[in-house]
Amino acid sequence: MGLNASLSLFSLTILLVFSKVVTADNITLAFEKYSNFSTMSNLFTQTKLTVPISKYQTITVLAVSNDAISSITNRSDVELKNILMTHVILDYYDELKLQGMREKSIMVTTLYQTTGLGEEMNGFLNVTKMEGRVYFGSAVKNSPLNAEYVSTVYHNPYNLSIIEISMPIVAPGLSLAVFPPPPPPVPIVPSPSPMEASMVPAPSPMVNATTAPGPADVASDIVVPKTTPTTDTPEADSPAPAPTADNEKIEAADKAKPSSSACKAGSRFDLILLLAFFASFAGF
């Protein structure tokens, strides 16, 4: 019982090692045993598709025999590369899985879809089972389903499978150059709304305390005008005010006052003399 368990474990280990060796990155090694597909194997190497294929651990290659693939070998290198990429399905399919399909159509993704150039579904394939037969064709609308499944050439569940189809699949719009997929867009940070801006806390007074001017700084910035001491100067040095009409009237009145006083004093003196004269006369 222990020997059987050890043998089973050893067989499983060998299977796992083998599944890691024969993967998508050495697809040409899987084609080496089948000379009937040497043209397609050489085209994979010529277009350097083994490099992007090596990034996937599960693929299915739709292989076309040397006789059938001759119809596309005269295409440009760009178009030929794109056509070959549509023959690489990013999933695992073999005879058992295809025969187990119901009578329906499914869409499968190809390597061409990963380039970012796929349009109008030309990066997908339509797989349809009808009357017990399986057909492949482009998923572009009104494309024919005339590539029929023939047999499973190679399979390593669920890692790599090579199945033969009757003819190559040429989807429309595959003459464009292949570029690396564009990087994901950078998310744009929206600007804060007025409501959010009003909720932003004001800076702490302690932060600006070092920059605010103190009383000493304010006092040092104010220029105090110096007052010069006034000196007592004689009034004669200061210019006399210009005479006005009112001043002239006042001066005339002042000058008239002494004259009238003198007249009154003279009249009183005459009266005194007159009284003295009458007094002296009465004494005699």
Side-chain angles (χ1 to χ4, degrees):
M1 201 59 187
L3 181 60
N4 292 334
S6 300
L7 290 175
S8 299
L9 182 60
F10 178 76
S11 300
L12 180 60
T13 304
I14 294 298
L15 179 62
L16 292 175
V17 171
F18 182 74
S19 65
K20 289 184 179 180
V21 172
V22 184
T23 56
D25 59 340
N26 54 16
I27 185 175
T28 54
L29 181 62
F31 270 116
E32 283 182 355
K33 298 180 180 180
Y34 309 98
S35 60
N36 192 31
F37 302 98
S38 58
T39 301
M40 192 169 194
S41 178
N42 293 334
L43 290 178
F44 272 110
T45 305
Q46 175 185 333
T47 55
K48 300 179 181 180
L49 282 177
T50 55
V51 176
I53 287 176
S54 64
K55 298 179 181 179
Y56 299 91
Q57 293 297 319
T58 302
I59 64 168
T60 298
V61 179
L62 303 180
V64 183
S65 65
N66 296 338
D67 296 333
I69 203 172
S70 60
S71 61
I72 64 170
T73 53
N74 59 348
R75 305 274 183 138
S76 65
D77 292 341
V78 172
E79 191 171 2
L80 184 60
K81 182 177 182 180
N82 293 341
I83 293 174
L84 290 176
M85 282 194 291
T86 60
H87 287 70
V88 179
I89 301 175
L90 303 182
D91 201 351
Y92 180 83
Y93 289 92
D94 56 8
E95 183 176 4
L96 184 62
K97 188 173 182 179
L98 292 175
Q99 294 299 330
M101 287 178 55
R102 296 181 179 179
E103 299 281 333
K104 63 176 183 178
S105 298
I106 60 174
M107 299 291 177
V108 294
T109 307
T110 68
L111 185 61
Y112 180 74
Q113 183 64 23
T114 63
T115 63
L117 299 175
E119 55 183 17
E120 297 183 358
M121 301 294 291
N122 61 1
F124 298 88
L125 291 182
N126 182 359
V127 183
T128 300
K129 186 175 182 181
M130 184 171 50
E131 298 179 357
R133 296 183 176 183
V134 180
Y135 299 91
F136 294 83
S138 173
V140 178
K141 188 177 181 180
N142 298 325
S143 295
L145 293 172
N146 49 11
E148 185 179 357
Y149 166 77
V150 178
S151 64
T152 299
V153 178
Y154 174 87
H155 66 98
N156 181 20
Y158 289 90
N159 190 242
L160 172 63
S161 176
I162 301 177
I163 60 179
E164 182 184 358
I165 57 177
S166 60
M167 61 183 301
I169 303 170
V170 181
L174 296 181
S175 59
L176 301 175
V178 178
F179 298 99
V186 179
I188 301 175
V189 181
S191 58
S193 61
M195 181 64 69
E196 295 175 350
S198 61
M199 298 177 64
V200 177
S204 174
M206 297 298 296
V207 177
N208 298 330
T210 57
T211 59
D217 297 334
V218 174
S220 62
D221 293 337
I222 299 176
V223 179
V224 180
K226 297 181 180 180
T227 56
T228 57
T230 58
T231 57
D232 297 332
T233 56
E235 295 180 357
D237 296 337
S238 60
T244 61
D246 294 337
N247 293 339
E248 292 179 354
K249 291 181 180 180
I250 294 173
E251 290 179 359
D254 292 340
K255 292 178 180 179
K257 285 182 180 180
S259 299
S260 59
S261 299
C263 292
K264 290 181 181 181
S267 298
R268 291 176 183 175
F269 183 73
D270 293 342
L271 181 58
I272 292 172
L273 290 178
L274 183 59
L275 291 176
F277 176 75
F278 282 111
S280 62
F281 182 74
F284 284 108

